[in-house]
Amino acid sequence: MRGATLPGNSTVELVDLPDPTPGPGQVLLATRASTICGSDIRAIYREHIQGDPAETYQGVVAGHEPAGEVIVLGPGTRRLAVGDRVAVYHISGCGQCDDCVRGYQISCSSPSRAAYGWQRDGGHAELLLAEERDCVVLPDSVSFLDGACVACGFGTAYEGLLRAGVSGRDSLAVVGLGPVGLAAGLLGGALGAVPRVGVDPSPERRALALQLGAVDVACAPDEVASLTDTLGAGAHVAVDCSGSTAGRAAAVSLLRSRGRMVLVGEGNAFEIEEASPTLIHRQITVHASWVTSLEHMRELVERLPVWGLRPEVVVSDRFALEDAGEAYRLADAGRSGKVAIVFQG
Ligand SMILES: [Zn+2]
Ligand SMILES: [Zn+2]
């Protein structure tokens, strides 16, 4: 099979690898869609980040947001059938620790934990070897591209919103309108949050967010004061998807008293100059949320058709595997929506 790896110098390498054979409890997927995540750019594509074993790339086929069709069942598989359409939860855990039992394989600390696209082969190849238990079956009306978008980005945004208990009682501010911010705005709307505002320095990203209906109002970071017209006393919930120190500060500043802050975007520092006026006297709750659980991912793919929500609307650009280098260059530029590698079915 043909696959793409990321050498770590802002290039993509196409390689030929033997077709994998599923072992016990595994399935072989024909990959149909594999989207690119901000984490791929930050921790692998530009350079290989070292230190955290969860973020150490081991030269495997990249891509941790895969969706595909089951084509071969390994021995002992019990749930899936050939022809099932699935998205893959992007971390394979030990399956037995407290975190795995709760479906948060992301937090599994077993040495056997391996993330697709980081420590085991991921979705940027024609075939993908997956554990049956990591596969989430997609309803008929949820496309492969929808599923790939859920595998990391939409799942991550959904989890952040659930953590803050977002509902129709809340207004929502989303800081950072990249793919995860778009997902937070769209899913926040599905959960009933109104109004929704967005902040991003990129005019292209603000325009896309408004066009998709992810937010009702969008502005640049130096215009956040104007959002009081929409938010009144402030947002009930602010989600930072920017991962920047300034973005997090903006998110906190947009909250009303007793507001809830959710940290979703990764990297950089979270700096609070004066804890009392900024957090304590305003009685702010800060949630930190990392990826999602298998349970919430299954719940999300089931709810999407009910809400009439198509995650693939955030995909702005699609590329064949042969053009993965171009796909990564575009994703790295940070002005597009979600960038996807798609395969012929
Ligand atoms: Zn991701
Ligand atoms: Zn585990």
Side-chain angles (χ1 to χ4, degrees), residues 172 195-196 280:
L172 176 67
R196 292 159 296 145
I280 298 171

PDB file of all heavy atoms in Angstrom, residues 172 195-196 280:
ATOM      1  N   LEU A 172     -22.306  31.765  23.982  1.00  0.00           N
ATOM      2  CA  LEU A 172     -21.029  31.073  23.770  1.00  0.00           C
ATOM      3  C   LEU A 172     -20.057  31.968  23.012  1.00  0.00           C
ATOM      4  O   LEU A 172     -20.424  32.561  21.994  1.00  0.00           O
ATOM      5  CB  LEU A 172     -21.291  29.788  22.965  1.00  0.00           C
ATOM      6  CG  LEU A 172     -20.077  28.948  22.552  1.00  0.00           C
ATOM      7  CD1 LEU A 172     -19.391  28.343  23.765  1.00  0.00           C
ATOM      8  CD2 LEU A 172     -20.500  27.843  21.580  1.00  0.00           C
ATOM      9  N   PRO A 195     -26.614  33.858  22.027  1.00  0.00           N
ATOM     10  CA  PRO A 195     -25.928  33.932  20.740  1.00  0.00           C
ATOM     11  C   PRO A 195     -24.533  33.320  20.849  1.00  0.00           C
ATOM     12  O   PRO A 195     -24.038  33.042  21.933  1.00  0.00           O
ATOM     13  CB  PRO A 195     -25.847  35.438  20.498  1.00  0.00           C
ATOM     14  CG  PRO A 195     -25.755  36.034  21.865  1.00  0.00           C
ATOM     15  CD  PRO A 195     -26.587  35.140  22.757  1.00  0.00           C
ATOM     16  N   ARG A 196     -23.907  33.146  19.672  1.00  0.00           N
ATOM     17  CA  ARG A 196     -22.538  32.629  19.616  1.00  0.00           C
ATOM     18  C   ARG A 196     -21.653  33.659  18.914  1.00  0.00           C
ATOM     19  O   ARG A 196     -22.014  34.145  17.837  1.00  0.00           O
ATOM     20  CB  ARG A 196     -22.497  31.310  18.837  1.00  0.00           C
ATOM     21  CG  ARG A 196     -23.183  30.132  19.521  1.00  0.00           C
ATOM     22  CD  ARG A 196     -23.555  29.056  18.528  1.00  0.00           C
ATOM     23  NE  ARG A 196     -24.540  29.550  17.592  1.00  0.00           N
ATOM     24  CZ  ARG A 196     -24.594  29.199  16.303  1.00  0.00           C
ATOM     25  NH1 ARG A 196     -23.719  28.366  15.796  1.00  0.00           N
ATOM     26  NH2 ARG A 196     -25.513  29.723  15.513  1.00  0.00           N
ATOM     27  N   ILE A 280     -11.047  34.890  40.602  1.00  0.00           N
ATOM     28  CA  ILE A 280     -11.692  34.592  41.898  1.00  0.00           C
ATOM     29  C   ILE A 280     -12.915  35.477  42.133  1.00  0.00           C
ATOM     30  O   ILE A 280     -14.005  34.973  42.418  1.00  0.00           O
ATOM     31  CB  ILE A 280     -10.670  34.733  43.052  1.00  0.00           C
ATOM     32  CG1 ILE A 280      -9.523  33.724  42.860  1.00  0.00           C
ATOM     33  CG2 ILE A 280     -11.351  34.505  44.406  1.00  0.00           C
ATOM     34  CD1 ILE A 280      -8.350  33.911  43.801  1.00  0.00           C
TER      35      ILE A 280
END
